[in-house]
mmCIF file of all heavy atoms in Angstrom:
data_model
loop_
_atom_site.group_PDB
_atom_site.id
_atom_site.type_symbol
_atom_site.label_atom_id
_atom_site.label_comp_id
_atom_site.label_asym_id
_atom_site.label_seq_id
_atom_site.Cartn_x
_atom_site.Cartn_y
_atom_site.Cartn_z
ATOM 1 N N ILE A 21 -2.920 -5.827 -2.461
ATOM 2 C CA ILE A 21 -3.068 -4.863 -1.370
ATOM 3 C C ILE A 21 -2.929 -5.614 -0.045
ATOM 4 O O ILE A 21 -3.584 -6.646 0.160
ATOM 5 C CB ILE A 21 -4.434 -4.155 -1.418
ATOM 6 C CG1 ILE A 21 -4.751 -3.681 -2.847
ATOM 7 C CG2 ILE A 21 -4.463 -2.999 -0.428
ATOM 8 C CD1 ILE A 21 -3.762 -2.711 -3.436
ATOM 9 N N VAL A 22 -2.116 -5.084 0.855
ATOM 10 C CA VAL A 22 -1.959 -5.723 2.158
ATOM 11 C C VAL A 22 -2.512 -4.887 3.299
ATOM 12 O O VAL A 22 -2.763 -5.407 4.384
ATOM 13 C CB VAL A 22 -0.479 -6.094 2.461
ATOM 14 C CG1 VAL A 22 0.031 -7.071 1.419
ATOM 15 C CG2 VAL A 22 0.400 -4.858 2.517
ATOM 16 N N ASP A 23 -2.708 -3.572 3.083
ATOM 17 C CA ASP A 23 -3.150 -2.726 4.191
ATOM 18 C C ASP A 23 -3.783 -1.457 3.641
ATOM 19 O O ASP A 23 -3.606 -1.113 2.466
ATOM 20 C CB ASP A 23 -1.959 -2.369 5.085
ATOM 21 C CG ASP A 23 -2.351 -2.005 6.499
ATOM 22 O OD1 ASP A 23 -3.569 -1.973 6.813
ATOM 23 O OD2 ASP A 23 -1.451 -1.754 7.320
ATOM 24 N N ARG A 24 -4.536 -0.784 4.507
ATOM 25 C CA ARG A 24 -5.077 0.525 4.134
ATOM 26 C C ARG A 24 -4.924 1.465 5.311
ATOM 27 O O ARG A 24 -4.852 1.055 6.471
ATOM 28 C CB ARG A 24 -6.544 0.417 3.689
ATOM 29 C CG ARG A 24 -7.518 -0.017 4.752
ATOM 30 C CD ARG A 24 -8.932 -0.105 4.209
ATOM 31 N NE ARG A 24 -9.433 1.172 3.738
ATOM 32 C CZ ARG A 24 -10.664 1.619 3.962
ATOM 33 N NH1 ARG A 24 -11.518 0.868 4.645
ATOM 34 N NH2 ARG A 24 -11.048 2.783 3.491
ATOM 35 N N GLN A 25 -4.858 2.770 4.993
ATOM 36 C CA GLN A 25 -4.748 3.826 5.991
ATOM 37 C C GLN A 25 -3.515 3.635 6.883
ATOM 38 O O GLN A 25 -3.606 3.509 8.102
ATOM 39 C CB GLN A 25 -6.022 3.901 6.835
ATOM 40 C CG GLN A 25 -7.264 4.261 6.045
ATOM 41 C CD GLN A 25 -7.164 5.630 5.389
ATOM 42 O OE1 GLN A 25 -6.857 6.627 6.050
ATOM 43 N NE2 GLN A 25 -7.420 5.692 4.091
ATOM 44 N N VAL A 26 -2.340 3.626 6.250
ATOM 45 C CA VAL A 26 -1.083 3.496 6.967
ATOM 46 C C VAL A 26 -0.522 4.883 7.238
ATOM 47 O O VAL A 26 -0.374 5.689 6.310
ATOM 48 C CB VAL A 26 -0.062 2.663 6.167
ATOM 49 C CG1 VAL A 26 1.273 2.612 6.891
ATOM 50 C CG2 VAL A 26 -0.597 1.254 5.951
ATOM 51 N N VAL A 27 -0.227 5.191 8.486
ATOM 52 C CA VAL A 27 0.257 6.514 8.868
ATOM 53 C C VAL A 27 1.642 6.760 8.292
ATOM 54 O O VAL A 27 2.531 5.908 8.381
ATOM 55 C CB VAL A 27 0.293 6.661 10.405
ATOM 56 C CG1 VAL A 27 0.879 8.012 10.806
ATOM 57 C CG2 VAL A 27 -1.113 6.506 10.978
ATOM 58 N N ALA A 28 1.813 7.936 7.693
ATOM 59 C CA ALA A 28 3.106 8.345 7.138
ATOM 60 C C ALA A 28 3.617 9.564 7.887
ATOM 61 O O ALA A 28 4.016 10.568 7.298
ATOM 62 C CB ALA A 28 2.972 8.637 5.652
ATOM 63 N N GLY A 29 3.561 9.515 9.211
ATOM 64 C CA GLY A 29 4.019 10.646 10.027
ATOM 65 C C GLY A 29 3.158 11.874 9.780
ATOM 66 O O GLY A 29 1.947 11.782 9.574
ATOM 67 N N LYS A 30 3.790 13.033 9.775
ATOM 68 C CA LYS A 30 3.078 14.292 9.555
ATOM 69 C C LYS A 30 2.579 14.440 8.129
ATOM 70 O O LYS A 30 1.760 15.310 7.839
ATOM 71 C CB LYS A 30 3.976 15.467 9.926
ATOM 72 C CG LYS A 30 4.345 15.531 11.410
ATOM 73 C CD LYS A 30 5.229 16.738 11.698
ATOM 74 C CE LYS A 30 5.576 16.799 13.189
ATOM 75 N NZ LYS A 30 6.462 17.964 13.481
ATOM 76 N N ALA A 31 3.075 13.572 7.229
ATOM 77 C CA ALA A 31 2.667 13.672 5.819
ATOM 78 C C ALA A 31 1.252 13.189 5.596
ATOM 79 O O ALA A 31 0.646 13.454 4.559
ATOM 80 C CB ALA A 31 3.622 12.862 4.943
ATOM 81 N N GLY A 32 0.673 12.472 6.578
ATOM 82 C CA GLY A 32 -0.692 11.972 6.431
ATOM 83 C C GLY A 32 -0.730 10.453 6.446
ATOM 84 O O GLY A 32 0.032 9.816 7.153
ATOM 85 N N ARG A 33 -1.614 9.893 5.640
ATOM 86 C CA ARG A 33 -1.787 8.438 5.575
ATOM 87 C C ARG A 33 -1.792 7.967 4.132
ATOM 88 O O ARG A 33 -2.370 8.615 3.269
ATOM 89 C CB ARG A 33 -3.129 8.024 6.222
ATOM 90 C CG ARG A 33 -3.225 8.288 7.709
ATOM 91 C CD ARG A 33 -4.640 7.988 8.192
ATOM 92 N NE ARG A 33 -4.783 8.216 9.631
ATOM 93 C CZ ARG A 33 -4.639 7.271 10.568
ATOM 94 N NH1 ARG A 33 -4.373 6.031 10.185
ATOM 95 N NH2 ARG A 33 -4.759 7.542 11.841
ATOM 96 N N PHE A 34 -1.132 6.848 3.901
ATOM 97 C CA PHE A 34 -1.262 6.198 2.600
ATOM 98 C C PHE A 34 -2.631 5.539 2.549
ATOM 99 O O PHE A 34 -3.027 4.827 3.471
ATOM 100 C CB PHE A 34 -0.189 5.122 2.418
ATOM 101 C CG PHE A 34 1.213 5.580 2.691
ATOM 102 C CD1 PHE A 34 1.992 4.953 3.637
ATOM 103 C CD2 PHE A 34 1.757 6.638 1.990
ATOM 104 C CE1 PHE A 34 3.299 5.350 3.896
ATOM 105 C CE2 PHE A 34 3.059 7.055 2.241
ATOM 106 C CZ PHE A 34 3.821 6.415 3.195
ATOM 107 N N ASP A 35 -3.366 5.752 1.454
ATOM 108 C CA ASP A 35 -4.682 5.120 1.347
ATOM 109 C C ASP A 35 -4.557 3.600 1.377
ATOM 110 O O ASP A 35 -5.286 2.914 2.089
ATOM 111 C CB ASP A 35 -5.393 5.569 0.071
ATOM 112 C CG ASP A 35 -5.867 7.009 0.155
ATOM 113 O OD1 ASP A 35 -6.133 7.474 1.280
ATOM 114 O OD2 ASP A 35 -5.977 7.651 -0.897
ATOM 115 N N LEU A 36 -3.633 3.078 0.573
ATOM 116 C CA LEU A 36 -3.439 1.625 0.474
ATOM 117 C C LEU A 36 -1.946 1.325 0.390
ATOM 118 O O LEU A 36 -1.169 2.140 -0.125
ATOM 119 C CB LEU A 36 -4.127 1.056 -0.770
ATOM 120 C CG LEU A 36 -5.639 1.294 -0.906
ATOM 121 C CD1 LEU A 36 -6.106 0.908 -2.312
ATOM 122 C CD2 LEU A 36 -6.410 0.512 0.146
ATOM 123 N N THR A 37 -1.569 0.161 0.899
ATOM 124 C CA THR A 37 -0.189 -0.302 0.800
ATOM 125 C C THR A 37 -0.212 -1.722 0.237
ATOM 126 O O THR A 37 -1.084 -2.513 0.589
ATOM 127 C CB THR A 37 0.485 -0.317 2.185
ATOM 128 O OG1 THR A 37 0.395 0.983 2.754
ATOM 129 C CG2 THR A 37 1.942 -0.716 2.068
ATOM 130 N N GLY A 38 0.717 -2.016 -0.650
ATOM 131 C CA GLY A 38 0.749 -3.347 -1.236
ATOM 132 C C GLY A 38 2.082 -3.603 -1.930
ATOM 133 O O GLY A 38 3.110 -3.069 -1.547
ATOM 134 N N PHE A 39 2.036 -4.402 -2.997
ATOM 135 C CA PHE A 39 3.254 -4.710 -3.728
ATOM 136 C C PHE A 39 2.886 -5.084 -5.159
ATOM 137 O O PHE A 39 1.732 -5.375 -5.484
ATOM 138 C CB PHE A 39 4.031 -5.850 -3.056
ATOM 139 C CG PHE A 39 3.282 -7.141 -2.941
ATOM 140 C CD1 PHE A 39 3.392 -8.133 -3.919
ATOM 141 C CD2 PHE A 39 2.461 -7.397 -1.856
ATOM 142 C CE1 PHE A 39 2.713 -9.341 -3.816
ATOM 143 C CE2 PHE A 39 1.768 -8.589 -1.736
ATOM 144 C CZ PHE A 39 1.890 -9.565 -2.718
ATOM 145 N N TYR A 40 3.904 -5.058 -6.006
ATOM 146 C CA TYR A 40 3.769 -5.357 -7.439
ATOM 147 C C TYR A 40 4.474 -6.671 -7.740
ATOM 148 O O TYR A 40 5.657 -6.839 -7.452
ATOM 149 C CB TYR A 40 4.388 -4.221 -8.250
ATOM 150 C CG TYR A 40 4.495 -4.450 -9.735
ATOM 151 C CD1 TYR A 40 3.396 -4.847 -10.485
ATOM 152 C CD2 TYR A 40 5.713 -4.239 -10.399
ATOM 153 C CE1 TYR A 40 3.495 -5.050 -11.866
ATOM 154 C CE2 TYR A 40 5.820 -4.423 -11.771
ATOM 155 C CZ TYR A 40 4.723 -4.837 -12.497
ATOM 156 O OH TYR A 40 4.825 -5.014 -13.854
ATOM 157 N N TRP A 41 3.700 -7.621 -8.301
ATOM 158 C CA TRP A 41 4.241 -8.941 -8.657
ATOM 159 C C TRP A 41 3.917 -9.182 -10.133
ATOM 160 O O TRP A 41 2.858 -9.698 -10.470
ATOM 161 C CB TRP A 41 3.623 -10.013 -7.771
ATOM 162 C CG TRP A 41 4.288 -11.357 -7.849
ATOM 163 C CD1 TRP A 41 5.600 -11.618 -8.123
ATOM 164 C CD2 TRP A 41 3.676 -12.634 -7.627
ATOM 165 N NE1 TRP A 41 5.848 -12.973 -8.089
ATOM 166 C CE2 TRP A 41 4.686 -13.624 -7.771
ATOM 167 C CE3 TRP A 41 2.373 -13.032 -7.304
ATOM 168 C CZ2 TRP A 41 4.419 -14.980 -7.635
ATOM 169 C CZ3 TRP A 41 2.119 -14.380 -7.156
ATOM 170 C CH2 TRP A 41 3.123 -15.338 -7.314
ATOM 171 N N PRO A 42 4.820 -8.776 -11.043
ATOM 172 C CA PRO A 42 4.523 -8.870 -12.480
ATOM 173 C C PRO A 42 4.328 -10.305 -12.931
ATOM 174 O O PRO A 42 4.961 -11.240 -12.421
ATOM 175 C CB PRO A 42 5.735 -8.225 -13.138
ATOM 176 C CG PRO A 42 6.823 -8.305 -12.125
ATOM 177 C CD PRO A 42 6.160 -8.229 -10.791
ATOM 178 N N ARG A 43 3.447 -10.501 -13.910
ATOM 179 C CA ARG A 43 3.149 -11.847 -14.414
ATOM 180 C C ARG A 43 4.332 -12.425 -15.186
ATOM 181 O O ARG A 43 4.578 -13.617 -15.125
ATOM 182 C CB ARG A 43 1.913 -11.792 -15.318
ATOM 183 C CG ARG A 43 0.626 -11.467 -14.584
ATOM 184 C CD ARG A 43 -0.542 -11.387 -15.529
ATOM 185 N NE ARG A 43 -0.782 -12.680 -16.190
ATOM 186 C CZ ARG A 43 -1.654 -12.861 -17.178
ATOM 187 N NH1 ARG A 43 -2.343 -11.839 -17.639
ATOM 188 N NH2 ARG A 43 -1.835 -14.058 -17.704
ATOM 189 N N ALA A 44 5.050 -11.559 -15.908
ATOM 190 C CA ALA A 44 6.194 -12.041 -16.706
ATOM 191 C C ALA A 44 7.288 -12.547 -15.760
ATOM 192 O O ALA A 44 7.797 -11.811 -14.920
ATOM 193 C CB ALA A 44 6.724 -10.918 -17.581
#
């Protein structure tokens, strides 16, 4: 997770923003 409560314009806010780094 890199951030929380990111504004998505009129659509609202993303609760959390991050990325996926698979172990394989």
